[in-house]
Amino acid sequence: MDIDKVRVVNDPTVKWIADHWHDNHGNKSNDLTFGFLSIPFDYAVSHRPGTRIGPQTIIDTLNSYSLYCADKRVSLENTVFRNLGAVDIVHDLQQSYANMVEAVSTIPKDILPIFLGGDHSITDPIIRGMKKRIEGKSMGIIMFDTHFDFRDPLPGKEHSGHWLKTLENEIDYNSLAIIGISAPIYSPAYMHELEKRGALIKTVYDLRRQGRESVVKEAVDHVLNNADGIYFTVDIDGIDQAFAPGCSVPNPSGLYPFEVMDSIFEISKMAPVFGMDINEVSPWFDHPQNFTTHVAAHILLNFMAGNVKRLSE
């Protein structure tokens, strides 16, 4: 990307993400390396397509940012960014999923991975690949989403709303926390079954009634009671549609961006983290100024800042 086209100021004191990508690892042994793997897959999108172009749009937006997460007072100057490329998506769903598992599992151990989707079905192969990658460690999941994504799979129909069910033999629901449930398309059975299996579920109303900081602490305590570290999965439709219209299923009763950004920053600052994915960004349906993509990019900025903060203290 031509940095001159994305700079909003011509200030020699500002360092830009666009100038901070490296083909190789950093020169210092203590450099924190973030690796970005694009997964341009939307064959299982539930409603509106277009998330296949989400990854590149998110990277382009990140390249317009500086290395300073100003509201958290955290600089990313002593980090390394690596573009890990894109997973090979082919005209065979199972082969595409297998390619995702392979790509995730072979990421070098010293890289903290960030996965750019894509529809939310990609989290199934990501989790399978991550389990291979972390070799024996137990990984808990904190999920920001308006949907349960716990529907029974339908034969012959891939769907972004059943990945949490297809992983039932791969994950421990006692190490799962879901924050942001509000979509009016479910029966009580989804809530009851997930809670019966041990998941912690906090709706949008729960978070605002209980308080965001209290919910964050409860989620971390719940997940780390049975896991060595945390993996984040963020569906952008968990953000209220006023701020995130560019997604498959816009949601009028979602979380505010700061509720997700601040939570991910604080969790990353306090707890060991294995990585994260962000998905369902569909630029075709976004505002011309890429409102939704900017929300996604800011979430990633906060994720990175939280990890930098934890490792520097």
Side-chain angles (χ1 to χ4, degrees):
M1 167 170 285
D2 184 350
I3 185 60
D4 291 330
K5 294 181 180 179
V6 296
R7 280 184 175 137
V8 292
V9 291
N10 187 16
D11 184 341
T13 70
V14 177
K15 295 183 179 180
W16 302 90
I17 287 179
D19 294 326
H20 209 63
W21 296 90
H22 297 264
D23 292 331
N24 299 310
H25 296 283
N27 296 322
K28 301 177 183 177
S29 61
N30 62 343
D31 279 338
L32 175 57
T33 300
F34 295 103
F36 293 77
L37 180 67
S38 296
I39 308 180
F41 178 92
D42 63 1
Y43 294 167
V45 68
S46 61
H47 286 77
R48 306 190 302 178
T51 58
R52 69 185 67 185
I53 61 174
Q56 187 58 55
T57 308
I58 293 171
I59 288 176
D60 289 345
T61 301
L62 273 174
N63 277 335
S64 71
Y65 292 179
S66 80
L67 291 168
Y68 188 48
C69 184
D71 69 322
K72 305 304 190 301
R73 301 172 184 259
V74 176
S75 173
L76 304 181
E77 288 186 41
N78 293 322
T79 63
V80 173
F81 297 155
R82 292 190 65 198
N83 190 334
L84 303 176
V87 173
D88 187 20
I89 304 302
V90 297
H91 293 288
D92 180 312
L93 293 179
Q94 296 311 312
Q95 184 60 55
S96 292
Y97 287 137
N99 292 348
M100 295 177 208
V101 174
E102 176 68 14
V104 172
S105 65
T106 56
I107 294 172
K109 298 294 198 304
D110 58 340
I111 290 177
L112 187 58
I114 296 172
F115 305 104
L116 308 175
D119 66 54
H120 210 167
S121 74
I122 66 171
T123 303
D124 177 307
I126 288 174
I127 295 298
R128 294 174 193 273
M130 287 294 292
K131 286 187 65 178
K132 294 182 178 181
R133 185 172 180 267
I134 63 177
E135 292 183 329
K137 294 182 180 178
S138 57
M139 183 173 69
I141 300 171
I142 295 183
M143 168 182 169
F144 291 88
D145 202 332
T146 190
H147 303 107
F148 290 105
D149 287 355
F150 194 63
R151 297 187 182 279
D152 288 325
L154 297 174
K157 180 176 174 58
E158 283 300 314
H159 193 287
S160 59
H162 63 224
W163 66 268
L164 200 53
K165 192 66 174 287
T166 57
L167 281 172
E168 62 184 348
N169 295 322
E170 301 292 331
I171 63 174
D172 179 2
Y173 292 101
N174 292 291
S175 300
L176 168 68
I178 306 175
I179 301 173
I181 294 294
S182 69
I185 57 172
Y186 294 100
S187 70
Y190 293 89
M191 182 82 74
H192 295 163
E193 181 61 23
L194 276 166
E195 290 183 330
K196 178 182 175 182
R197 295 189 185 206
L200 175 72
I201 299 175
K202 295 294 181 180
T203 69
V204 173
Y205 180 71
D206 291 336
L207 181 139
R208 292 175 183 160
R209 178 180 57 83
Q210 181 179 338
R212 187 190 61 78
E213 292 182 356
S214 174
V215 166
V216 164
K217 183 179 185 306
E218 187 177 353
V220 172
D221 289 346
H222 177 83
V223 170
L224 291 185
N225 187 50
N226 297 287
D228 298 314
I230 293 169
Y231 179 83
F232 294 106
T233 179
V234 181
D235 191 324
I236 207 69
D237 67 26
I239 304 287
D240 193 281
Q241 66 184 18
F243 307 97
C247 63
S248 173
V249 190
N251 171 31
S253 57
L255 296 165
Y256 288 177
F258 82 88
E259 292 173 320
V260 178
M261 295 173 193
D262 291 356
S263 297
I264 288 179
F265 171 78
E266 290 163 9
I267 295 169
S268 299
K269 187 176 69 170
M270 73 173 76
V273 174
F274 288 124
M276 75 167 292
D277 67 64
I278 192 159
N279 51 75
E280 297 289 354
V281 175
S282 187
W284 288 345
F285 299 103
D286 207 359
H287 185 277
Q289 297 303 314
N290 289 332
F291 284 0
T292 309
T293 308
H294 275 285
V295 170
H298 270 277
I299 290 171
L300 297 182
L301 185 66
N302 277 267
F303 170 77
M304 293 188 287
N307 281 280
V308 168
K309 189 73 171 176
R310 184 182 78 253
L311 296 175
S312 64
E313 291 182 342

